């Protein structure tokens, strides 16, 4: 299995609900390594760029409003098979369909006020990471976990 990088947004609703620590803890428990992380107010320009594939959909405007309403935490995560692993951990977009034990299944309330975003392919992850992070903000390091025990 290949080592992959993926991108996630812990969305404004999760930050306001004080769920950031809980969600990051789930990433670490699942062996994701944090390469970059910051709290930011997502500008309209960045939100439009990030969600350009959804232009014209009925939920597009409310989505932009939600994503720019309050700060969010954005992260670059790395592990083997990171893209599908994070999608599985996040659960289905609609929290009613998301399995218990997934982040959306346990904490999601509505699809519109979804609490995390996770890249859906390697190409998407590369594109999304480049929207939110400069290359020098991403810290590359090797996994030395076994040496700490
Ligand atoms: P996210 O994973 O960030 O990617 C696109 C977002 O659009 C999604 O999470 C939801 O927040 C939102 N979204 C997708 N489908 C719908 C829908 N049918 N109704 C409302 N919001 C949606």
């Amino acid at each position: 299995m290949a080592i992959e990088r993926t991108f996630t947004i812990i969305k404004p609703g999760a930050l306001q609900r004080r769920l950031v620590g809980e969600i990051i803890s789930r990433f670490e428990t699942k062996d994701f390594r944090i390469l970059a992380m910051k709290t930011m107010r997502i500008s309209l320009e960045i939100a439009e760029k990030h969600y350009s594939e959804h232009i014209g959909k009925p939920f597009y405007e409310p989505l932009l409003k939600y994503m720019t309403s309050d700060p969010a935490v954005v992260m670059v995560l790395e592990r083997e098979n990171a893209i599908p692993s994070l999608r599985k951990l996040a659960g289905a977009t609609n929290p009613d369909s998301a399995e218990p034990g997934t982040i959306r299944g346990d904490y999601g309330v509505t699809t519109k006020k979804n609490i995390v975003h996770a890249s859906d392919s390697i190409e998407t992850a590369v594109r999304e990471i480049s929207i939110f992070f400069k290359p020098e903000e991403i810290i590359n390091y090797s996994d030395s976990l076994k040496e700490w025990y």
Side-chain angles (χ1 to χ4, degrees):
M1 276 188 290
I3 300 287
E4 295 172 350
R5 285 180 183 185
T6 189
F7 173 72
T8 184
I9 305 176
I10 304 177
K11 298 189 179 188
L15 185 129
Q16 288 288 2
R17 289 170 61 196
R18 281 59 164 174
L19 289 173
V20 172
E22 170 63 30
I23 293 169
I24 292 175
S25 176
R26 289 190 180 213
F27 296 155
E28 289 195 315
T29 303
K30 204 66 195 172
D31 208 27
F32 283 94
R33 289 181 296 117
I34 299 168
L35 303 194
M37 174 165 73
K38 62 186 172 189
T39 304
M40 66 183 286
R41 273 188 194 282
I42 298 176
S43 67
L44 184 59
E45 189 191 357
I46 288 183
E48 284 173 343
K49 210 183 266 185
H50 176 69
Y51 285 120
S52 57
E53 69 180 286
H54 297 301
I55 291 174
K57 293 183 184 167
F59 59 84
Y60 178 67
E61 293 298 334
L63 177 62
L64 294 185
K65 195 168 175 211
Y66 172 48
M67 296 304 294
T68 57
S69 63
D70 268 314
V73 175
V74 294
M75 304 174 73
V76 178
L77 299 172
E78 188 173 87
R79 60 159 280 170
E80 280 188 349
N81 246 5
I83 311 281
S85 298
L86 190 65
R87 298 279 292 181
K88 198 163 183 186
L89 189 60
T93 306
N94 181 341
D96 292 339
S97 318
E99 294 289 333
T102 64
I103 295 168
R104 289 165 175 162
D106 290 348
Y107 300 113
V109 181
T110 64
T111 304
K112 202 171 142 186
K113 297 261 165 90
N114 205 325
I115 59 170
V116 288
H117 166 82
S119 303
D120 63 7
S121 69
I122 292 179
E123 297 71 29
T124 310
V126 168
R127 190 182 83 82
E128 294 178 343
I129 289 168
S130 75
I131 292 171
F132 287 86
F133 290 98
K134 298 185 190 113
E136 62 269 26
E137 290 180 300
I138 301 165
I139 311 302
N140 202 10
Y141 59 99
S142 52
D143 185 354
S144 66
L145 178 66
K146 291 193 182 86
E147 292 168 28
W148 293 90
Y149 291 97

